[in-house]
Amino acid sequence: MSTPEFELAFEAAYGRAVPVAPGIERMTVNNPSAFTFHGTNSYIVGGSSVAVIDPGPENEEHFAALLTALKGREVTHIFVSHTHRDHSPLAKRLKEATGALTVGQGPHRAARPLHEGEVNPFAESSDMDFRPDITLGDGESVSGDGWQLTALLTPGHTANHACFALEGIGIVFSADHVMAWATTIVAPPDGSMADYMASLERLLARDDRLFLPGHGGPVKEPASFMRGLRTHRRMRERAVLERIKAGDRLIPEMVKAIYRDTDPRLHGAAALSVLAHLEDLVEKGLVQTDGPPALLGAYRPA
């Protein structure tokens, strides 16, 4: 696969727990947008004693639906893949309702410090209140009744992003790191393109058979799909370099040319993606700019 073939067919089934694999149910929040596709996916793992992965945003209907789906079952753990507001805030209420322990890589943090005068464009999208009861390092696991989930730390989309591998059956809950419907937003300073690419390689070194992402349907051939994502990102990097060599100096100029077929609502995110590539290219010594890479900076070939 040279570039990923995205899968846009998806039935959200709001308010219902949909079986997606033995011992795994998916519930989708009714929060569709250009960034969340049809909504955020929460997952229930286990039988009579379960874990919930990514309970989602503060959404009353989804909270009620989750409690209905969980009725009669013990909830022992609530896993949070990362601290964006479409994934983690409902963990607090679900913990209060069930007594479960929250699990994650850690509190929200940026991939790098803010530069002088820089504003984090995704600050309002970040859940600064989440603090996991159990902090998992890379490769560390939590077990329950018939399940074991292992943290695969995958920074890139956010610095504290983690996927969770369900041991023994080759399934990974890939959250926002790998999704079948679209590429992942990598937006500095929260995100890092260098980290994202390294995290892709980390998952490519595994032999999993199915990914269940934070938005949209499953990734059924993870290895070939991730190779496509890797190629896509490398093509974007080359496109940025080519625009600079052609004389573009500002990010809006590059976005206009590179993303001419992209929904204009996403051009702001595209600009941040270009910035993420430029940070990496400056670090590699292929592009120069005065001062640290910035959205309003001017860029030139090295």
Side-chain angles (χ1 to χ4, degrees):
M1 180 184 292
S2 58
T3 56
E5 295 180 2
F6 296 115
E7 176 57 66
L8 300 181
F10 180 69
E11 174 58 52
Y14 301 126
R16 291 195 292 113
V18 179
V20 292
I24 303 172
E25 298 164 276
R26 180 186 67 221
M27 299 190 71
T28 303
V29 187
N30 189 0
N31 65 330
S33 75
F35 298 101
T36 61
F37 196 37
H38 290 286
T40 304
N41 292 331
S42 301
Y43 293 95
I44 301 170
V45 182
S48 59
S49 177
V50 302
V52 173
I53 299 174
D54 282 349
E58 276 292 349
N59 182 291
E60 193 62 41
E61 291 77 12
H62 186 65
F63 181 59
L66 269 175
L67 292 183
T68 298
L70 294 167
K71 189 174 182 179
R73 294 190 278 185
E74 179 190 19
V75 183
T76 60
H77 297 85
I78 301 165
F79 288 76
V80 169
S81 66
H82 65 293
T83 43
H84 277 159
R85 288 191 177 276
D86 58 324
H87 286 261
S88 58
L90 203 58
K92 181 177 185 293
R93 290 179 67 193
L94 190 60
K95 174 184 175 178
E96 291 170 351
T98 64
L101 296 173
T102 55
V103 184
Q105 190 276 333
H108 190 82
R109 69 183 191 279
R112 59 161 174 78
L114 283 171
H115 302 311
E116 184 176 356
E118 184 181 21
V119 175
N120 185 344
F122 277 85
E124 292 186 0
S125 301
S126 303
D127 178 4
M128 306 304 293
D129 297 327
F130 178 77
R131 299 288 189 280
D133 297 317
I134 300 173
T135 300
L136 289 184
D138 191 44
E140 294 183 338
S141 301
V142 171
S143 299
D145 183 15
W147 55 265
Q148 180 180 342
L149 286 165
T150 298
L152 309 174
L153 300 193
T154 47
H157 177 61
T158 61
N160 68 347
H161 193 285
C163 300
F164 300 109
L166 184 56
E167 296 294 351
I169 60 174
I171 291 179
V172 169
F173 297 92
S174 58
D176 283 10
H177 184 60
V178 178
M179 301 176 291
W181 75 283
T183 56
T184 297
I185 293 173
V186 180
D190 275 12
S192 161
M193 189 61 70
D195 288 349
Y196 180 81
M197 296 300 285
S199 294
L200 266 188
E201 295 296 339
R202 188 269 164 89
L203 292 191
L204 271 165
R206 294 174 53 88
D207 187 26
D208 300 299
R209 65 177 180 85
L210 184 72
F211 283 4
L212 297 175
H215 307 274
V219 179
K220 297 177 182 178
E221 296 182 8
S224 62
F225 189 80
M226 285 190 289
R227 286 192 291 269
L229 287 176
R230 180 175 61 188
T231 297
H232 175 81
R233 294 291 184 177
R234 288 173 176 171
M235 289 171 61
R236 281 282 189 252
E237 179 183 80
R238 286 197 297 271
V240 171
L241 272 174
E242 288 169 2
R243 293 313 308 169
I244 292 174
K245 290 176 181 177
D248 287 356
R249 293 293 175 261
L250 305 177
I251 287 177
E253 297 172 335
M254 302 177 208
V255 170
K256 185 177 179 180
I258 297 170
Y259 292 88
R260 57 185 176 273
D261 297 325
T262 299
D263 185 340
R265 294 178 299 168
L266 299 178
H267 278 193
L272 291 165
S273 181
V274 170
L275 175 60
H277 279 295
L278 286 166
E279 285 188 341
D280 195 26
L281 289 167
V282 169
E283 180 67 24
K284 292 175 180 176
L286 298 174
V287 172
Q288 292 181 341
T289 186
D290 296 324
L295 275 175
L296 301 179
Y299 299 87
R300 58 189 181 274

